Amino acid sequence: MPTPRIKIENIDRLMKKLESRMIHVLKNPKPIVTVGYSAEYAIYVHENLMATHKPPTQAKFLEQPIREMKPAMKQEIELLMSTGRMTLAQCLLVIGHKILAASQLLVPVATGALKASGFVKEE
């Protein structure tokens, strides 16, 4: 039985946006922490809003936690830095790991490979 093809709407727009952000980062070096998934199919699972998932898993498994946590991120970074024990990069790593942990609760899990491909790294 052939595997059905999935069409992801606006994938070109998403890729251009990511490329634009990468160019901006390269031109404006500051501490950068990346949270993501390295599985080659991660973007397709993340963007496929038509797929059926058993709750609590879902599409937008990385985007949603970022949106939910965003209001508190600045305050948490300020709190962590106020002790004088952490650099901005270290604070961003702490936040990145919190985002990853929250997103892994939402990752659609068939084999666990996608969930296991999650990462946080300082650029």
Short mmCIF file of all heavy atoms in Angstrom, two decimals, residues 25-58:
data_model
loop_
_atom_site.label_atom_id
_atom_site.label_comp_id
_atom_site.label_asym_id
_atom_site.label_seq_id
_atom_site.Cartn_x
_atom_site.Cartn_y
_atom_site.Cartn_z
N VAL A 25 20.52 36.56 12.85
CA VAL A 25 21.36 36.07 13.95
C VAL A 25 22.83 36.17 13.59
O VAL A 25 23.66 36.58 14.40
CB VAL A 25 20.97 34.62 14.33
CG1 VAL A 25 22.02 33.98 15.21
CG2 VAL A 25 19.62 34.60 15.01
N LEU A 26 23.17 35.81 12.36
CA LEU A 26 24.56 35.85 11.94
C LEU A 26 25.09 37.28 11.89
O LEU A 26 26.27 37.52 12.16
CB LEU A 26 24.72 35.17 10.57
CG LEU A 26 24.49 33.66 10.57
CD1 LEU A 26 24.52 33.11 9.15
CD2 LEU A 26 25.52 32.94 11.44
N LYS A 27 24.22 38.23 11.57
CA LYS A 27 24.64 39.63 11.49
C LYS A 27 24.66 40.30 12.86
O LYS A 27 25.30 41.33 13.03
CB LYS A 27 23.71 40.41 10.56
CG LYS A 27 23.90 40.07 9.10
CD LYS A 27 22.99 40.90 8.23
CE LYS A 27 23.19 40.58 6.77
NZ LYS A 27 22.29 41.36 5.90
N ASN A 28 23.93 39.77 13.83
CA ASN A 28 23.80 40.38 15.15
C ASN A 28 24.13 39.36 16.23
O ASN A 28 23.23 38.85 16.91
CB ASN A 28 22.37 40.90 15.35
CG ASN A 28 21.98 41.89 14.30
OD1 ASN A 28 22.50 42.98 14.26
ND2 ASN A 28 21.06 41.50 13.43
N PRO A 29 25.41 39.05 16.41
CA PRO A 29 25.76 37.99 17.36
C PRO A 29 25.43 38.36 18.80
O PRO A 29 25.84 39.40 19.29
CB PRO A 29 27.26 37.81 17.16
CG PRO A 29 27.74 39.06 16.53
CD PRO A 29 26.58 39.64 15.78
N LYS A 30 24.63 37.54 19.43
CA LYS A 30 24.26 37.64 20.83
C LYS A 30 24.11 36.20 21.30
O LYS A 30 24.09 35.29 20.50
CB LYS A 30 22.92 38.38 20.97
CG LYS A 30 22.99 39.84 20.57
CD LYS A 30 21.65 40.50 20.68
CE LYS A 30 21.77 41.92 20.18
NZ LYS A 30 20.54 42.44 19.66
N PRO A 31 23.98 36.02 22.61
CA PRO A 31 23.77 34.63 23.04
C PRO A 31 22.50 34.08 22.41
O PRO A 31 21.45 34.69 22.48
CB PRO A 31 23.62 34.73 24.56
CG PRO A 31 24.04 36.09 24.95
CD PRO A 31 23.98 36.94 23.72
N ILE A 32 22.62 32.95 21.77
CA ILE A 32 21.48 32.31 21.11
C ILE A 32 21.38 30.88 21.61
O ILE A 32 22.37 30.16 21.65
CB ILE A 32 21.67 32.28 19.58
CG1 ILE A 32 21.87 33.67 19.01
CG2 ILE A 32 20.51 31.55 18.90
CD1 ILE A 32 20.65 34.54 19.00
N VAL A 33 20.19 30.49 21.98
CA VAL A 33 19.93 29.11 22.35
C VAL A 33 18.83 28.60 21.42
O VAL A 33 17.82 29.27 21.22
CB VAL A 33 19.50 28.99 23.82
CG1 VAL A 33 18.99 27.60 24.14
CG2 VAL A 33 20.67 29.34 24.72
N THR A 34 19.07 27.47 20.82
CA THR A 34 18.12 26.87 19.90
C THR A 34 17.48 25.65 20.56
O THR A 34 18.17 24.83 21.14
CB THR A 34 18.82 26.44 18.60
OG1 THR A 34 19.43 27.59 18.01
CG2 THR A 34 17.84 25.82 17.61
N VAL A 35 16.16 25.59 20.46
CA VAL A 35 15.41 24.43 20.93
C VAL A 35 14.75 23.84 19.69
O VAL A 35 14.14 24.57 18.90
CB VAL A 35 14.32 24.84 21.94
CG1 VAL A 35 13.53 23.62 22.43
CG2 VAL A 35 14.91 25.61 23.11
N GLY A 36 14.89 22.56 19.49
CA GLY A 36 14.30 21.97 18.29
C GLY A 36 14.32 20.46 18.31
O GLY A 36 14.62 19.84 19.33
N TYR A 37 14.00 19.91 17.16
CA TYR A 37 13.98 18.47 16.96
C TYR A 37 14.76 18.17 15.70
O TYR A 37 14.55 18.81 14.67
CB TYR A 37 12.53 17.97 16.86
CG TYR A 37 11.83 18.05 18.19
CD1 TYR A 37 11.25 19.23 18.63
CD2 TYR A 37 11.79 16.96 19.02
CE1 TYR A 37 10.64 19.31 19.87
CE2 TYR A 37 11.18 17.02 20.27
CZ TYR A 37 10.60 18.19 20.68
OH TYR A 37 10.01 18.27 21.92
N SER A 38 15.67 17.21 15.77
CA SER A 38 16.53 16.92 14.65
C SER A 38 16.01 15.84 13.71
O SER A 38 16.58 15.64 12.64
CB SER A 38 17.93 16.52 15.15
OG SER A 38 17.84 15.35 15.94
N ALA A 39 14.94 15.17 14.08
CA ALA A 39 14.38 14.16 13.18
C ALA A 39 14.00 14.84 11.87
O ALA A 39 13.40 15.92 11.87
CB ALA A 39 13.16 13.49 13.79
N GLU A 40 14.39 14.23 10.74
CA GLU A 40 14.18 14.89 9.45
C GLU A 40 12.71 15.17 9.15
O GLU A 40 12.39 16.06 8.36
CB GLU A 40 14.81 14.09 8.32
CG GLU A 40 14.24 12.71 8.14
CD GLU A 40 14.98 11.90 7.09
OE1 GLU A 40 16.21 11.96 7.05
OE2 GLU A 40 14.30 11.22 6.32
N TYR A 41 11.80 14.46 9.77
CA TYR A 41 10.37 14.64 9.52
C TYR A 41 9.70 15.52 10.58
O TYR A 41 8.49 15.74 10.54
CB TYR A 41 9.67 13.28 9.46
CG TYR A 41 9.91 12.43 10.68
CD1 TYR A 41 9.05 12.49 11.77
CD2 TYR A 41 11.01 11.58 10.76
CE1 TYR A 41 9.27 11.73 12.91
CE2 TYR A 41 11.24 10.80 11.88
CZ TYR A 41 10.37 10.89 12.95
OH TYR A 41 10.60 10.13 14.07
N ALA A 42 10.46 16.06 11.51
CA ALA A 42 9.89 16.84 12.63
C ALA A 42 9.04 18.00 12.14
O ALA A 42 7.94 18.23 12.65
CB ALA A 42 11.00 17.34 13.54
N ILE A 43 9.52 18.74 11.16
CA ILE A 43 8.76 19.91 10.68
C ILE A 43 7.42 19.50 10.08
O ILE A 43 6.42 20.18 10.24
CB ILE A 43 9.58 20.76 9.69
CG1 ILE A 43 8.90 22.12 9.48
CG2 ILE A 43 9.80 20.04 8.38
CD1 ILE A 43 9.78 23.13 8.79
N TYR A 44 7.38 18.35 9.43
CA TYR A 44 6.13 17.90 8.82
C TYR A 44 5.12 17.49 9.89
O TYR A 44 3.93 17.79 9.77
CB TYR A 44 6.40 16.75 7.85
CG TYR A 44 7.30 17.18 6.72
CD1 TYR A 44 8.64 16.84 6.70
CD2 TYR A 44 6.80 17.98 5.69
CE1 TYR A 44 9.47 17.27 5.68
CE2 TYR A 44 7.62 18.42 4.67
CZ TYR A 44 8.95 18.07 4.67
OH TYR A 44 9.77 18.51 3.67
N VAL A 45 5.58 16.82 10.92
CA VAL A 45 4.69 16.44 12.02
C VAL A 45 4.23 17.69 12.75
O VAL A 45 3.05 17.84 13.09
CB VAL A 45 5.39 15.46 12.99
CG1 VAL A 45 4.50 15.14 14.17
CG2 VAL A 45 5.79 14.18 12.26
N HIS A 46 5.14 18.62 12.96
CA HIS A 46 4.82 19.87 13.68
C HIS A 46 3.79 20.69 12.93
O HIS A 46 2.89 21.27 13.53
CB HIS A 46 6.10 20.69 13.88
CG HIS A 46 5.91 21.89 14.73
ND1 HIS A 46 5.57 23.12 14.21
CD2 HIS A 46 5.99 22.05 16.07
CE1 HIS A 46 5.46 23.99 15.20
NE2 HIS A 46 5.72 23.37 16.33
N GLU A 47 3.90 20.75 11.63
CA GLU A 47 3.03 21.63 10.82
C GLU A 47 1.76 20.97 10.31
O GLU A 47 0.88 21.66 9.81
CB GLU A 47 3.82 22.18 9.63
CG GLU A 47 4.99 23.06 10.01
CD GLU A 47 4.58 24.30 10.79
OE1 GLU A 47 3.55 24.92 10.45
OE2 GLU A 47 5.28 24.64 11.77
N ASN A 48 1.61 19.66 10.43
CA ASN A 48 0.45 18.97 9.87
C ASN A 48 -0.75 19.07 10.81
O ASN A 48 -0.96 18.24 11.69
CB ASN A 48 0.78 17.50 9.58
CG ASN A 48 -0.35 16.80 8.87
OD1 ASN A 48 -1.40 17.37 8.58
ND2 ASN A 48 -0.15 15.52 8.59
N LEU A 49 -1.57 20.09 10.59
CA LEU A 49 -2.75 20.31 11.42
C LEU A 49 -3.89 19.35 11.11
O LEU A 49 -4.87 19.28 11.85
CB LEU A 49 -3.24 21.76 11.26
CG LEU A 49 -2.23 22.83 11.67
CD1 LEU A 49 -2.77 24.21 11.35
CD2 LEU A 49 -1.88 22.72 13.14
N MET A 50 -3.77 18.61 10.02
CA MET A 50 -4.83 17.68 9.62
C MET A 50 -4.67 16.30 10.27
O MET A 50 -5.59 15.50 10.27
CB MET A 50 -4.85 17.52 8.09
CG MET A 50 -5.04 18.84 7.35
SD MET A 50 -6.50 19.76 7.88
CE MET A 50 -7.77 18.74 7.22
N ALA A 51 -3.51 16.02 10.83
CA ALA A 51 -3.26 14.71 11.45
C ALA A 51 -4.07 14.58 12.74
O ALA A 51 -4.32 15.56 13.44
CB ALA A 51 -1.78 14.53 11.74
N THR A 52 -4.48 13.37 13.02
CA THR A 52 -5.20 13.09 14.26
C THR A 52 -4.20 12.60 15.29
O THR A 52 -3.40 11.71 15.01
CB THR A 52 -6.27 12.00 14.01
OG1 THR A 52 -7.13 12.45 12.98
CG2 THR A 52 -7.05 11.74 15.27
N HIS A 53 -4.25 13.19 16.47
CA HIS A 53 -3.33 12.81 17.54
C HIS A 53 -4.14 12.45 18.78
O HIS A 53 -5.18 13.03 19.05
CB HIS A 53 -2.39 13.97 17.89
CG HIS A 53 -1.57 14.44 16.75
ND1 HIS A 53 -0.53 13.70 16.23
CD2 HIS A 53 -1.62 15.57 16.01
CE1 HIS A 53 0.03 14.37 15.23
NE2 HIS A 53 -0.63 15.50 15.07
N LYS A 54 -3.60 11.50 19.54
CA LYS A 54 -4.23 11.12 20.80
C LYS A 54 -3.79 12.14 21.85
O LYS A 54 -2.59 12.28 22.10
CB LYS A 54 -3.79 9.71 21.18
CG LYS A 54 -4.42 9.20 22.44
CD LYS A 54 -3.97 7.78 22.74
CE LYS A 54 -4.57 7.31 24.04
NZ LYS A 54 -4.09 5.98 24.40
N PRO A 55 -4.74 12.87 22.46
CA PRO A 55 -4.35 13.86 23.47
C PRO A 55 -3.49 13.24 24.56
O PRO A 55 -3.70 12.08 24.90
CB PRO A 55 -5.70 14.33 24.04
CG PRO A 55 -6.67 14.09 22.93
CD PRO A 55 -6.18 12.83 22.24
N PRO A 56 -2.50 13.93 25.04
CA PRO A 56 -2.24 15.35 24.87
C PRO A 56 -1.35 15.68 23.67
O PRO A 56 -0.96 16.82 23.49
CB PRO A 56 -1.52 15.72 26.16
CG PRO A 56 -0.71 14.50 26.47
CD PRO A 56 -1.59 13.34 26.03
N THR A 57 -0.98 14.67 22.83
CA THR A 57 -0.09 14.97 21.72
C THR A 57 -0.80 15.81 20.67
O THR A 57 -2.03 15.80 20.59
CB THR A 57 0.48 13.68 21.09
OG1 THR A 57 -0.57 12.97 20.45
CG2 THR A 57 1.14 12.80 22.14
N GLN A 58 -0.02 16.52 19.86
CA GLN A 58 -0.62 17.45 18.90
C GLN A 58 0.42 17.94 17.89
O GLN A 58 1.62 17.80 18.11
CB GLN A 58 -1.18 18.66 19.65
CG GLN A 58 -0.08 19.47 20.34
CD GLN A 58 -0.60 20.70 21.05
OE1 GLN A 58 -1.50 20.62 21.85
NE2 GLN A 58 -0.04 21.85 20.71
#
